[in-house]
Amino acid sequence: MIALLTSTMKPLAFLITLSFATICRAQILGFTPASATREIEIENKFQAVPSPDEERRQHRVFTQEPHTAGSKRNNELAQYIAAEWKKQGLEDVVIHRYDVYGTNPKSAVLEMIAPTHYQALLRENPIPVDDDSKSPAISGAWLGMSISGEVTAPVIYAHSGNPEDYDLLRKHGISVKGKIVLVRYSNPYSYRGFKALTAQREGAAAMLVYSDPQEDGYKKGKVDPDGPWGPEYHIQRGAITYDFMVPGDPQTPGWASVPGARRIPIEEAVSAPKIMALPLSWHDAQPLLESMDGPAAPKEWQGGLAFEYHLGGERVKAHLKIEMDNGIQPYYVVEGRIRGSAFPDEWVVMGNHRDAWVFGGVDPSSGTASMMELTCALGELKKQGMRPRRTLVVCSWDGEEIGLTGSTEWGEQFADELRHKAVAYINVDEATSGPNFHGQAVASLAPMLEETTRSLRDPSGKPLCDAWKAVVEREKREGAQSSQFSSSGVVNETLADTRIGSGSDHTVFLNFIGVPVLGLGFEGDYGVYHSAYDDFYWMNHFGDPGYKYHTLMTQLWGLTALRLANADLLPYDFAAYASNIRQFVAELGAGNKSVILSGASSNERAESKAPGSAVDLSEVEKSIDEFEAAGKKLNDAISRKLSSGSLDQRLTATLNQGLMQVERNWLNHDGIPGRPWFKHILYGARYTYAHLELPGLTEAVEKQDWPTAKQQADVLEHALRKNAELLRDLNQRVQQ
Ligand SMILES: [Zn+2]
């Protein structure tokens, strides 16, 4: 709401908003009436601090120069953040060093040698009106964790580079063994590391991945500098680490890369790719594509360039040489905190990654700017004597772009402590690439996130929750391939997207430690992802010209954190969690006849269900009912207790410890089959990074591995019953 006001009218308008909020707000989830009144005062003070001008100033600091993971500039920015945080009043500011297997480019050459000669530019041409795009510090084309090597071979077009694409090539008698595959970035997004693994498994010598104008270029709309979409020369860099197997430093799977830590040989690291890979602009891909012979590619494989795409054969040959500098280097995580006044050993953790592929206009510096204003405002509250009741921990991660490395190593280092202390982790990666709010949360925190958005206004003047609802409804109408919607078309009951995959720094918290996570971001038309054009100019012309959404992000991030930090009883809703889990199970059943649900008739049960060729989830469903019933009773008991206003500190502490334990109980120590690092039994990610609910069970069902499916169903049922019992126990304590 403040974002709409000009600075001169701010004080008056602010007073009006204040009293409006105070009168209208009766209660906040997790707060007694007295605490809620105090919380509103705190939040109003908090919201007055961030300003669009300051957001813009901070954004310029971070987007001034390229700052890839481990680079000199990125390390200077770590120092800058630490110094700013100290000035802002944060406590215990420390820079953690991790010695990790890093990746840097040395040189790359790509030339088509037949049927004609073409030397690929592998660089982005400057845009005359955008001075930053002229910087000599901009890297050429490279993909993190590519191996070094050299090959001269035919080039084959393999569409999105997914397994089914190679099946189609095989049908046409085309093998990619020893050849160079040319694939394209796909829409919906599929992680390039999965494309690289697939190419490696197919025996290709190298993978080239290009940005087709159909996905993020002129077929979508006007391109930079006339619009937000990707121009002819934009190159989407990125890492190809197989972090869907295990994220972080490939040589320390499951433990922290503190200096001197044990390391496995890189040859044994499952997440280290064994293939050469390079990204291309469509400008560089075009000569290869249009020279190809072989059968015409199917309709779905055609792209936005003005010629017919072919699968390729022997006609197009290319010479590719990549030299990488992969090896141990330090990454730095900055950590600061404001110690809690009442419960210093309960932590609300927040984070954003600092490293960018180039300037990082959206990704991640929009988030970094919002974070710097967040810490400024939190420091301001502390100076005014308003210390949070729980401890706020803020982190600036390094190497997110290279396999989620900084957050993973930090999480692994402090896993035991976090298991005892962490209330939630709030991630902001890209704060804004446009006006459409997208909020993710584990289902237990979805209601509190929605409630928080009711206290804020979108720059259009609408309550943020209404703007959010409009986005969700529009996506639903358009049948968008958003993660909000499952393949069966079932929509979440909540506005929050409770289907959480991987691809950002929340992963270690949720999947390895069992910390409830939230992810916040504003999205829009954005075609310059991971390219040199994702910069200050782009943000000021397309992404968020007035920095209103940056400001709103700071406010939302802060309010969410403050509510979690100041609540009397932690605002988890386990009845909501239960109904979400029921939905996940129903979707698994809807997608597979061999999954027997309790609603199945005896006929259906008997019908062609030879023993050992199906999995019966009716006991799982019963345990969901049990967990839900216990969650509802606890919700009622807690809200009665809160409105009575009588809570002593000891009871509060006991209850909160118990409430925090619920998420930890979703972890299976053995991990999901084949991926022991990923321990959460409700949330996981596919190799593409796409969300994957009930990961162990779902993958077993998809493979028709019924013994494993049965075993995973037992794990799920056991966790549900354990949590139902925990909630019943907490309920009794509330009643006492
Ligand atoms: Zn990012």
Side-chain angles (χ1 to χ4, degrees):
M1 68 185 142
I2 314 168
L4 266 185
L5 311 170
T6 65
S7 48
T8 45
M9 60 188 285
K10 200 166 169 181
L12 177 62
F14 211 40
L15 278 177
I16 297 164
T17 338
L18 261 187
S19 44
F20 175 79
T22 316
I23 294 159
C24 292
R25 174 78 58 68
Q27 48 187 205
I28 306 174
L29 285 169
F31 287 78
T32 65
S35 308
T37 305
R38 180 170 175 274
E39 174 68 12
I40 289 161
E41 274 172 41
I42 293 170
E43 290 181 2
N44 286 332
K45 290 223 166 70
F46 170 84
Q47 287 192 58
V49 181
S51 76
D53 287 349
E54 269 301 294
E55 298 276 355
R56 187 172 189 274
R57 189 184 69 79
Q58 289 287 3
H59 188 246
R60 187 57 190 147
V61 171
F62 288 96
T63 56
Q64 190 91 44
E65 286 175 46
H67 51 289
T68 45
S71 67
K72 183 167 167 280
R73 175 61 178 173
N74 202 43
N75 299 344
E76 284 166 10
L77 288 174
Q79 300 285 347
Y80 165 80
I81 290 173
E84 285 281 294
W85 281 356
K86 284 178 193 164
K87 270 190 257 168
Q88 290 171 345
L90 267 64
E91 296 155 329
D92 308 327
V93 176
V94 47
I95 300 181
H96 299 275
R97 169 178 169 161
Y98 299 102
D99 288 346
V100 305
Y101 189 80
T103 179
N104 293 285
K106 260 178 157 166
S107 67
V109 179
L110 171 69
E111 51 183 340
M112 180 166 73
I113 55 169
T116 53
H117 187 264
Y118 173 74
Q119 182 82 34
L121 292 178
L122 306 181
R123 299 206 71 89
E124 287 149 322
N125 273 0
I127 292 176
V129 291
D130 178 359
D131 283 341
D132 288 339
S133 73
K134 300 166 192 164
S135 165
I138 297 171
S139 70
W142 71 291
L143 292 177
M145 293 288 175
S146 164
I147 60 166
S148 301
E150 183 167 12
V151 64
T152 300
V155 184
I156 304 293
Y157 172 52
H159 188 224
S160 291
N162 292 322
E164 61 272 20
D165 297 324
Y166 293 95
D167 290 342
L168 189 133
L169 288 172
R170 256 187 293 279
K171 270 188 205 144
H172 285 275
I174 299 171
S175 159
V176 301
K177 282 222 164 42
K179 297 179 184 164
I180 298 169
V181 291
L182 175 60
V183 306
R184 68 200 236 190
Y185 281 112
S186 44
N187 190 14
Y189 179 78
S190 154
Y191 173 50
R192 71 190 79 70
F194 176 59
K195 298 174 192 287
L197 175 65
T198 310
Q200 179 184 314
R201 283 176 170 170
E202 294 288 340
M207 177 186 81
L208 303 170
V209 55
Y210 81 101
S211 303
D212 195 285
Q214 185 157 300
E215 263 85 62
D216 63 2
Y218 61 75
K219 284 283 178 179
K220 289 284 195 178
K222 286 188 177 167
V223 304
D224 194 17
D226 303 312
W229 294 104
E232 179 171 357
Y233 296 97
H234 85 284
I235 299 167
Q236 185 191 130
R237 296 160 188 76
I240 57 167
T241 321
Y242 303 159
D243 55 8
F244 40 80
M245 301 296 293
V246 50
D249 182 348
Q251 294 185 282
T252 63
W255 64 92
S257 299
V258 292
R262 178 170 70 88
R263 313 184 62 76
I264 61 169
I266 193 68
E267 300 73 35
E268 289 171 24
V270 293
S271 61
K274 315 274 191 286
I275 189 169
M276 282 192 282
L278 194 69
L280 301 179
S281 63
W282 72 251
H283 176 88
D284 276 345
Q286 176 165 271
L288 296 162
L289 277 168
E290 73 185 335
S291 309
M292 281 187 190
D293 59 355
K299 195 163 152 266
E300 320 78 70
W301 287 36
Q302 297 299 324
L305 297 170
F307 51 81
E308 187 176 47
Y309 293 33
H310 286 250
L311 302 180
E314 297 291 325
R315 187 162 186 257
V316 174
K317 283 200 178 64
H319 167 234
L320 173 68
K321 185 176 181 191
I322 298 174
E323 276 190 274
M324 298 292 294
D325 177 14
N326 294 345
I328 309 299
Q329 70 176 117
Y331 281 3
Y332 297 98
V333 169
V334 193
E335 178 196 318
R337 58 182 70 192
I338 297 177
R339 289 190 290 271
S341 59
F343 307 106
D345 285 335
E346 292 174 11
W347 297 356
V348 176
V349 187
M350 294 166 275
N352 157 265
H353 72 90
R354 184 177 69 253
D355 62 306
W357 282 103
V358 188
F359 300 103
V362 171
D363 181 12
S365 302
S366 63
T368 317
S370 290
M371 178 179 71
M372 296 313 285
E373 275 292 86
L374 170 74
T375 48
C376 171
L378 293 172
E380 195 54 46
L381 288 187
K382 195 197 89 180
K383 284 175 199 159
Q384 292 178 29
M386 283 171 285
R387 197 176 266 284
R389 299 182 72 202
R390 295 186 179 82
T391 296
L392 297 170
V393 180
V394 196
C395 291
S396 164
W397 310 120
D398 200 350
E400 185 270 353
E401 296 290 2
I402 318 289
L404 317 176
T405 300
S407 57
T408 302
E409 300 311 319
W410 188 87
E412 289 172 342
Q413 184 178 6
F414 300 107
D416 287 339
E417 199 171 3
L418 288 161
R419 246 172 241 128
H420 287 106
K421 299 181 178 175
V423 166
Y425 171 68
I426 313 172
N427 192 54
V428 174
D429 185 325
E430 301 168 4
T432 169
S433 60
N436 307 319
F437 181 62
H438 191 247
Q440 279 198 322
V442 294
S444 57
L445 288 176
M448 80 78 60
L449 179 60
E450 287 181 30
E451 186 189 61
T452 308
T453 62
R454 276 183 229 143
S455 299
L456 290 163
R457 272 172 205 280
D458 180 84
S460 70
K462 274 194 255 180
L464 178 57
C465 60
D466 292 352
W468 187 7
K469 196 164 173 225
V471 172
V472 170
E473 279 169 0
R474 190 172 65 235
E475 283 182 357
K476 191 172 144 192
R477 268 199 313 276
E478 291 167 359
Q481 304 253 15
S482 143
S483 56
Q484 188 93 6
F485 308 98
S486 71
S487 47
S488 56
V490 185
V491 180
N492 285 335
E493 288 167 24
T494 56
L495 285 180
D497 177 4
T498 60
R499 298 160 197 281
I500 303 170
S502 184
S504 195
D505 291 306
H506 61 278
T507 305
V508 71
F509 293 94
L510 182 64
N511 300 99
F512 188 73
I513 313 174
V515 177
V517 300
L518 299 120
L520 313 173
F522 290 93
E523 299 173 358
D525 294 346
Y526 174 42
V528 296
Y529 173 69
H530 286 188
S531 78
Y533 308 124
D534 181 12
D535 66 358
F536 190 66
Y537 178 93
W538 190 94
M539 184 60 74
N540 279 271
H541 288 82
F542 311 112
D544 186 18
Y547 286 79
K548 292 169 180 174
Y549 290 94
H550 281 75
T551 311
L552 182 55
M553 175 55 75
T554 297
Q555 293 169 331
L556 174 63
W557 199 353
L559 255 60
T560 311
L562 285 168
R563 288 183 185 192
L564 289 164
N566 293 333
D568 295 291
L569 294 175
L570 295 169
Y572 305 123
D573 184 335
F574 298 117
Y577 218 150
S579 95
N580 206 235
I581 299 167
R582 182 180 295 109
Q583 199 177 345
F584 294 165
V585 169
E587 285 166 17
L588 184 61
N592 198 304
K593 275 192 149 179
S594 298
V595 173
I596 303 169
L597 301 179
S598 54
S601 66
S602 49
N603 262 357
E604 279 172 305
R605 278 164 195 278
E607 180 197 323
S608 74
K609 295 279 158 51
S613 70
V615 60
D616 187 340
L617 297 184
S618 45
E619 286 303 311
V620 168
E621 289 181 296
K622 277 184 210 158
S623 57
I624 295 172
D625 293 344
E626 206 184 300
F627 177 56
E628 184 171 44
K632 278 186 179 152
K633 278 193 185 137
L634 183 62
N635 281 353
D636 292 346
I638 284 178
S639 75
R640 275 197 305 274
K641 190 81 184 173
L642 288 169
S643 41
S644 80
S646 69
L647 267 172
D648 69 74
Q649 184 128 338
R650 265 213 14 233
L651 176 65
T652 309
T654 315
L655 288 173
N656 286 332
Q657 279 302 317
L659 292 168
M660 280 158 66
Q661 186 57 38
V662 175
E663 193 72 34
R664 315 301 187 244
N665 288 346
W666 301 128
L667 294 196
N668 177 10
H669 182 75
D670 298 335
I672 60 180
R675 291 190 281 170
W677 189 91
F678 288 86
K679 300 183 187 303
H680 208 291
I681 61 174
L682 304 178
Y683 300 104
R686 294 191 186 272
Y687 285 20
T688 57
Y689 277 173
H691 60 93
L692 173 64
E693 288 72 51
L694 312 175
L697 178 59
T698 302
E699 285 185 331
V701 166
E702 286 172 354
K703 285 184 201 150
Q704 307 202 345
D705 174 355
W706 305 116
T708 305
K710 167 88 176 70
Q711 185 258 338
Q712 292 293 308
D714 288 347
V715 169
L716 178 58
E717 186 195 328
H718 179 79
L720 283 159
R721 297 220 194 269
K722 188 172 175 184
N723 270 335
E725 199 179 303
L726 172 58
L727 298 192
R728 284 193 294 264
D729 176 57
L730 294 173
N731 189 19
Q732 274 187 359
R733 287 167 194 266
V734 184
Q735 313 270 13
Q736 274 165 14

Coordinates of all heavy atoms in Angstrom, one line a residue, residues 277-331:
A277 N 28.9 -29.4 -22.4 CA 27.6 -28.8 -22.7 C 27.8 -27.3 -22.8 O 28.7 -26.7 -22.1 CB 26.6 -29.0 -21.6
L278 N 27.1 -26.6 -23.7 CA 27.2 -25.2 -24.0 C 25.9 -24.6 -24.4 O 25.1 -25.3 -25.1 CB 28.2 -25.1 -25.2 CG 28.8 -23.7 -25.5 CD1 29.8 -23.3 -24.4 CD2 29.5 -23.7 -26.8
P279 N 25.6 -23.4 -23.9 CA 24.3 -22.8 -24.3 C 24.5 -21.9 -25.5 O 25.6 -21.3 -25.7 CB 23.9 -21.9 -23.1 CG 25.3 -21.5 -22.5 CD 26.3 -22.6 -22.9
L280 N 23.5 -21.7 -26.3 CA 23.5 -20.9 -27.5 C 22.4 -19.9 -27.6 O 21.3 -20.2 -27.1 CB 23.5 -21.7 -28.8 CG 24.5 -22.8 -29.0 CD1 24.2 -23.5 -30.3 CD2 25.9 -22.2 -29.0
S281 N 22.6 -18.7 -28.2 CA 21.5 -17.9 -28.5 C 20.9 -18.5 -29.8 O 21.5 -19.3 -30.5 CB 22.1 -16.5 -28.9 OG 23.0 -16.6 -30.0
W282 N 19.7 -18.0 -30.1 CA 19.1 -18.5 -31.4 C 19.9 -18.0 -32.6 O 19.9 -18.7 -33.6 CB 17.6 -18.3 -31.5 CG 17.0 -17.0 -31.7 CD1 16.4 -16.2 -30.8 CD2 17.0 -16.2 -33.0 NE1 16.0 -15.0 -31.4 CE2 16.3 -15.0 -32.7 CE3 17.5 -16.4 -34.2 CZ2 16.1 -14.0 -33.7 CZ3 17.3 -15.5 -35.2 CH2 16.6 -14.3 -34.9
H283 N 20.6 -16.9 -32.4 CA 21.4 -16.4 -33.5 C 22.5 -17.5 -33.9 O 22.7 -17.7 -35.1 CB 22.1 -15.1 -33.1 CG 23.0 -14.6 -34.1 ND1 22.6 -13.8 -35.2 CD2 24.4 -14.8 -34.3 CE1 23.7 -13.5 -35.9 NE2 24.7 -14.1 -35.5
D284 N 23.1 -18.1 -32.9 CA 24.1 -19.1 -33.1 C 23.5 -20.5 -33.5 O 24.2 -21.3 -34.1 CB 25.0 -19.2 -31.9 CG 26.1 -18.2 -31.9 OD1 26.4 -17.6 -32.9 OD2 26.8 -18.0 -30.8
A285 N 22.3 -20.8 -33.0 CA 21.7 -22.1 -33.3 C 21.1 -22.1 -34.7 O 21.1 -23.2 -35.4 CB 20.6 -22.4 -32.3
Q286 N 20.7 -21.0 -35.2 CA 20.0 -20.9 -36.5 C 20.8 -21.5 -37.7 O 20.2 -22.4 -38.4 CB 19.6 -19.5 -36.8 CG 19.0 -19.3 -38.2 CD 18.2 -18.0 -38.3 OE1 17.1 -17.9 -38.0 NE2 19.0 -17.0 -38.8
P287 N 22.1 -21.2 -37.8 CA 22.8 -21.8 -39.0 C 22.9 -23.3 -38.9 O 22.8 -24.0 -40.0 CB 24.2 -21.2 -38.9 CG 24.0 -19.9 -38.0 CD 22.9 -20.2 -37.1
L288 N 23.0 -23.8 -37.7 CA 23.0 -25.3 -37.6 C 21.7 -25.9 -37.9 O 21.6 -26.8 -38.7 CB 23.4 -25.7 -36.1 CG 24.7 -25.3 -35.6 CD1 24.8 -25.3 -34.1 CD2 25.8 -26.2 -36.2
L289 N 20.6 -25.3 -37.3 CA 19.3 -25.9 -37.5 C 18.8 -25.8 -39.0 O 18.3 -26.8 -39.5 CB 18.3 -25.1 -36.7 CG 18.2 -25.5 -35.2 CD1 17.3 -24.5 -34.5 CD2 17.5 -26.9 -35.1
E290 N 19.1 -24.7 -39.6 CA 18.6 -24.5 -41.0 C 19.4 -25.3 -42.0 O 18.9 -25.5 -43.2 CB 18.3 -23.1 -41.4 CG 19.5 -22.2 -41.7 CD 19.1 -20.8 -41.9 OE1 18.0 -20.5 -42.3 OE2 20.0 -19.9 -41.7
S291 N 20.6 -25.8 -41.7 CA 21.3 -26.6 -42.6 C 21.0 -28.1 -42.5 O 21.6 -28.9 -43.2 CB 22.8 -26.4 -42.4 OG 23.1 -25.0 -42.4
M292 N 20.2 -28.5 -41.5 CA 20.1 -29.9 -41.2 C 19.3 -30.6 -42.3 O 18.3 -30.1 -42.9 CB 19.4 -30.1 -39.9 CG 20.4 -29.9 -38.7 SD 19.6 -30.4 -37.2 CE 20.8 -29.8 -36.1
D293 N 19.6 -31.9 -42.6 CA 18.8 -32.7 -43.5 C 18.1 -33.7 -42.6 O 17.9 -33.5 -41.4 CB 19.8 -33.4 -44.5 CG 20.8 -34.2 -43.8 OD1 20.9 -34.2 -42.6 OD2 21.6 -34.9 -44.6
G294 N 17.8 -34.9 -43.2 CA 17.1 -35.9 -42.4 C 15.6 -35.6 -42.5 O 15.1 -34.6 -43.1
P295 N 14.8 -36.4 -41.8 CA 13.3 -36.3 -41.8 C 12.9 -34.9 -41.2 O 13.6 -34.4 -40.3 CB 12.8 -37.4 -41.0 CG 14.0 -38.4 -40.8 CD 15.2 -37.6 -41.0
A296 N 11.8 -34.4 -41.7 CA 11.2 -33.2 -41.1 C 10.9 -33.5 -39.6 O 10.3 -34.6 -39.3 CB 10.0 -32.7 -41.8
A297 N 11.1 -32.6 -38.7 CA 10.8 -32.8 -37.3 C 9.2 -32.7 -37.2 O 8.6 -32.0 -38.0 CB 11.4 -31.7 -36.5
P298 N 8.7 -33.5 -36.2 CA 7.2 -33.4 -36.1 C 6.8 -32.0 -35.7 O 7.6 -31.2 -35.2 CB 6.9 -34.4 -35.0 CG 8.2 -34.7 -34.3 CD 9.3 -34.4 -35.3
K299 N 5.5 -31.8 -35.8 CA 4.9 -30.4 -35.6 C 5.3 -29.9 -34.2 O 5.7 -28.7 -34.1 CB 3.4 -30.6 -35.7 CG 2.6 -29.3 -35.8 CD 1.2 -29.5 -36.3 CE 0.3 -28.4 -35.9 NZ -0.4 -28.7 -34.6
E300 N 5.2 -30.7 -33.2 CA 5.5 -30.2 -31.8 C 6.9 -29.8 -31.6 O 7.3 -29.2 -30.7 CB 5.1 -31.2 -30.7 CG 3.9 -32.0 -30.9 CD 4.0 -33.1 -31.9 OE1 4.7 -34.1 -31.6 OE2 3.4 -33.1 -33.0
W301 N 7.8 -30.3 -32.5 CA 9.2 -30.0 -32.4 C 9.6 -28.8 -33.2 O 10.7 -28.3 -33.1 CB 10.0 -31.2 -33.0 CG 10.1 -32.4 -32.2 CD1 9.1 -33.0 -31.4 CD2 11.2 -33.3 -32.1 NE1 9.5 -34.1 -30.8 CE2 10.8 -34.4 -31.2 CE3 12.5 -33.3 -32.6 CZ2 11.7 -35.4 -30.9 CZ3 13.3 -34.4 -32.3 CH2 12.9 -35.4 -31.4
Q302 N 8.6 -28.3 -34.0 CA 8.9 -27.0 -34.8 C 9.0 -25.9 -33.8 O 8.4 -25.9 -32.8 CB 7.8 -26.8 -35.8 CG 7.7 -27.9 -36.9 CD 9.0 -28.0 -37.7 OE1 9.7 -27.1 -38.0 NE2 9.3 -29.3 -38.1
G303 N 9.8 -24.9 -34.2 CA 10.0 -23.7 -33.3 C 9.6 -22.4 -33.9 O 8.9 -22.4 -34.9
G304 N 10.1 -21.4 -33.4 CA 9.8 -20.0 -33.8 C 10.6 -19.5 -35.0 O 10.3 -18.4 -35.5
L305 N 11.6 -20.2 -35.4 CA 12.4 -19.7 -36.5 C 11.8 -20.0 -37.8 O 11.0 -21.0 -37.9 CB 13.8 -20.3 -36.4 CG 14.6 -20.0 -35.2 CD1 15.9 -20.8 -35.1 CD2 15.0 -18.5 -35.1
A306 N 12.0 -19.1 -38.8 CA 11.2 -19.1 -40.0 C 11.7 -20.2 -41.1 O 12.0 -19.8 -42.2 CB 11.2 -17.7 -40.7
F307 N 11.8 -21.4 -40.7 CA 12.1 -22.5 -41.6 C 11.6 -23.8 -41.0 O 11.3 -23.8 -39.8 CB 13.6 -22.5 -42.0 CG 14.5 -22.6 -40.8 CD1 14.7 -23.8 -40.1 CD2 15.1 -21.4 -40.3 CE1 15.6 -23.8 -38.9 CE2 15.9 -21.4 -39.2 CZ 16.1 -22.6 -38.5
E308 N 11.6 -24.8 -41.8 CA 11.2 -26.1 -41.2 C 12.3 -26.8 -40.5 O 13.4 -26.9 -41.1 CB 10.6 -27.0 -42.4 CG 10.0 -28.3 -41.8 CD 9.4 -29.2 -42.9 OE1 10.1 -29.4 -43.9 OE2 8.3 -29.7 -42.7
Y309 N 12.1 -27.2 -39.3 CA 13.1 -27.9 -38.5 C 13.2 -29.4 -39.0 O 12.2 -30.0 -39.1 CB 12.8 -27.9 -37.0 CG 12.9 -26.5 -36.4 CD1 12.5 -25.3 -37.0 CD2 13.3 -26.4 -35.0 CE1 12.5 -24.1 -36.4 CE2 13.3 -25.1 -34.4 CZ 12.9 -24.0 -35.1 OH 12.9 -22.8 -34.4
H310 N 14.5 -29.9 -39.1 CA 14.7 -31.3 -39.4 C 15.4 -32.0 -38.3 O 16.0 -31.3 -37.5 CB 15.5 -31.4 -40.7 CG 14.6 -31.0 -41.9 ND1 14.2 -32.0 -42.9 CD2 14.1 -29.9 -42.3 CE1 13.5 -31.4 -43.8 NE2 13.4 -30.1 -43.5
L311 N 15.4 -33.3 -38.3 CA 16.0 -34.0 -37.2 C 17.5 -34.1 -37.4 O 18.2 -34.3 -36.4 CB 15.5 -35.5 -37.2 CG 13.9 -35.6 -37.0 CD1 13.5 -37.1 -37.0 CD2 13.5 -34.9 -35.7
G312 N 18.0 -33.9 -38.6 CA 19.5 -34.0 -38.8 C 19.9 -35.4 -39.2 O 19.2 -36.4 -39.1
G313 N 21.1 -35.4 -39.7 CA 21.7 -36.7 -40.1 C 23.2 -36.6 -40.1 O 23.8 -36.3 -39.1
E314 N 23.8 -36.7 -41.3 CA 25.3 -36.6 -41.4 C 25.7 -35.2 -42.0 O 26.9 -34.9 -42.0 CB 25.8 -37.7 -42.3 CG 25.6 -39.1 -41.7 CD 26.4 -39.4 -40.5 OE1 27.6 -38.9 -40.4 OE2 25.9 -40.1 -39.6
R315 N 24.7 -34.4 -42.4 CA 25.0 -33.3 -43.2 C 25.7 -32.2 -42.4 O 26.7 -31.6 -42.8 CB 23.8 -32.7 -43.9 CG 24.0 -31.6 -44.8 CD 22.8 -31.4 -45.7 NE 23.0 -30.4 -46.8 CZ 22.6 -29.1 -46.7 NH1 21.8 -28.7 -45.7 NH2 22.8 -28.3 -47.7
V316 N 25.2 -31.9 -41.2 CA 25.8 -30.8 -40.4 C 26.8 -31.4 -39.5 O 26.5 -32.3 -38.7 CB 24.7 -30.1 -39.6 CG1 25.3 -29.0 -38.7 CG2 23.7 -29.4 -40.6
K317 N 28.0 -30.9 -39.6 CA 29.1 -31.3 -38.7 C 29.6 -30.1 -38.0 O 29.7 -29.0 -38.6 CB 30.2 -32.0 -39.5 CG 29.9 -33.4 -39.9 CD 31.2 -34.1 -40.3 CE 30.9 -35.6 -40.7 NZ 30.1 -35.6 -41.9
A318 N 30.0 -30.3 -36.7 CA 30.5 -29.1 -36.0 C 31.7 -29.6 -35.2 O 31.9 -30.7 -34.8 CB 29.5 -28.6 -35.0
H319 N 32.5 -28.6 -34.9 CA 33.7 -28.8 -34.1 C 33.5 -28.0 -32.8 O 33.2 -26.8 -32.8 CB 35.0 -28.2 -34.8 CG 36.2 -28.1 -33.9 ND1 36.9 -26.9 -33.8 CD2 36.8 -29.0 -33.0 CE1 37.9 -27.1 -32.9 NE2 37.8 -28.3 -32.4
L320 N 33.5 -28.6 -31.6 CA 33.3 -28.0 -30.4 C 34.5 -28.2 -29.4 O 34.9 -29.4 -29.3 CB 32.0 -28.6 -29.7 CG 31.7 -28.2 -28.3 CD1 31.3 -26.7 -28.2 CD2 30.5 -29.1 -27.8
K321 N 34.9 -27.2 -28.8 CA 36.0 -27.3 -27.8 C 35.7 -26.5 -26.6 O 35.4 -25.3 -26.7 CB 37.3 -26.9 -28.5 CG 38.5 -27.1 -27.5 CD 39.8 -26.7 -28.2 CE 41.0 -27.0 -27.2 NZ 42.2 -26.5 -27.6
I322 N 35.6 -27.1 -25.5 CA 35.3 -26.4 -24.2 C 36.4 -26.6 -23.2 O 36.8 -27.8 -23.0 CB 34.0 -26.9 -23.6 CG1 32.8 -26.7 -24.6 CG2 33.7 -26.3 -22.2 CD1 31.5 -27.3 -24.1
E323 N 36.9 -25.5 -22.7 CA 37.9 -25.6 -21.6 C 37.3 -25.0 -20.3 O 36.9 -23.8 -20.3 CB 39.2 -24.9 -22.0 CG 40.1 -25.7 -22.8 CD 41.5 -25.0 -22.9 OE1 41.6 -24.1 -23.8 OE2 42.4 -25.3 -22.1
M324 N 37.2 -25.8 -19.3 CA 36.6 -25.4 -18.0 C 37.7 -25.3 -17.0 O 38.7 -26.0 -17.1 CB 35.5 -26.3 -17.6 CG 34.3 -26.4 -18.5 SD 33.4 -24.9 -18.6 CE 32.7 -24.8 -17.0
D325 N 37.5 -24.5 -15.9 CA 38.3 -24.5 -14.8 C 37.5 -25.0 -13.6 O 37.0 -24.2 -12.9 CB 38.9 -23.1 -14.6 CG 39.7 -23.0 -13.3 OD1 40.2 -24.0 -12.8 OD2 40.0 -21.8 -12.9
N326 N 37.3 -26.3 -13.5 CA 36.5 -26.9 -12.4 C 37.4 -27.4 -11.3 O 38.4 -28.1 -11.6 CB 35.6 -28.0 -12.9 CG 34.6 -27.6 -13.9 OD1 34.3 -26.4 -14.1 ND2 34.0 -28.5 -14.6
G327 N 37.1 -27.0 -10.1 CA 38.0 -27.4 -9.0 C 37.6 -26.7 -7.7 O 36.6 -25.9 -7.7
I328 N 38.3 -27.0 -6.6 CA 38.0 -26.5 -5.3 C 38.2 -25.0 -5.3 O 39.2 -24.4 -5.7 CB 38.9 -27.1 -4.2 CG1 38.9 -28.6 -4.3 CG2 38.4 -26.7 -2.8 CD1 37.6 -29.3 -4.2
Q329 N 37.2 -24.3 -4.8 CA 37.3 -22.9 -4.5 C 36.3 -22.5 -3.4 O 35.4 -23.2 -3.1 CB 36.9 -22.1 -5.8 CG 35.5 -22.1 -6.2 CD 35.2 -21.2 -7.4 OE1 34.8 -21.7 -8.5 NE2 35.4 -19.9 -7.3
P330 N 36.6 -21.3 -2.7 CA 35.7 -21.0 -1.6 C 34.4 -20.3 -2.1 O 34.4 -19.5 -3.0 CB 36.6 -20.0 -0.8 CG 37.6 -19.5 -1.7 CD 37.8 -20.5 -2.8
Y331 N 33.3 -20.7 -1.4 CA 32.1 -19.9 -1.5 C 31.8 -19.3 -0.1 O 32.2 -19.9 0.9 CB 30.9 -20.9 -1.9 CG 30.8 -21.3 -3.4 CD1 31.7 -20.9 -4.3 CD2 29.8 -22.1 -3.8 CE1 31.6 -21.3 -5.6 CE2 29.6 -22.5 -5.1 CZ 30.6 -22.1 -6.0 OH 30.5 -22.5 -7.3

